[in-house]
Amino acid sequence: MPLSFQYDGAARIDLSVGSLDDPRRVRPAFHLCVESRLDAFHTPDGLPEHAIEESADYQRCLAATGGIRPRAR
């Protein structure tokens, strides 16, 4: 699994926070793809949560790369 990646034309880079030496130094701004997360590993933290369907940018990136959308729970 890559530590980071960027979809062609995307404005941001996706990063595997768990790969950082000290991930506590990085505060996420939101949660994306919440429809595919495992509830047993989620601790509510008050950050905004977005499903894939709510992100036009993410949908465009998936379509451009031939990606498959996660199934809704």
Side-chain angles (χ1 to χ4, degrees):
M1 170 175 250
L3 300 180
S4 66
F5 65 93
Q6 182 176 22
Y7 289 106
D8 290 339
R12 65 176 63 105
I13 295 173
D14 292 302
L15 176 68
S16 172
V17 176
S19 67
L20 300 174
D21 289 336
D22 189 1
R24 294 171 295 190
R25 294 183 65 190
V26 178
R27 172 123 171 98
F30 59 88
H31 297 286
L32 182 61
C33 307
V34 296
E35 70 277 7
S36 62
R37 76 172 168 220
L38 298 174
D39 291 334
F41 297 104
H42 175 67
T43 302
D45 55 14
L47 293 175
E49 299 182 348
H50 306 285
I52 287 176
E53 290 79 16
E54 298 171 2
S55 174
D57 185 48
Y58 194 75
Q59 289 286 355
R60 182 186 57 74
C61 291
L62 281 177
T65 60
I68 300 171
R69 287 183 28 199
R71 288 179 284 138
R73 288 190 275 156

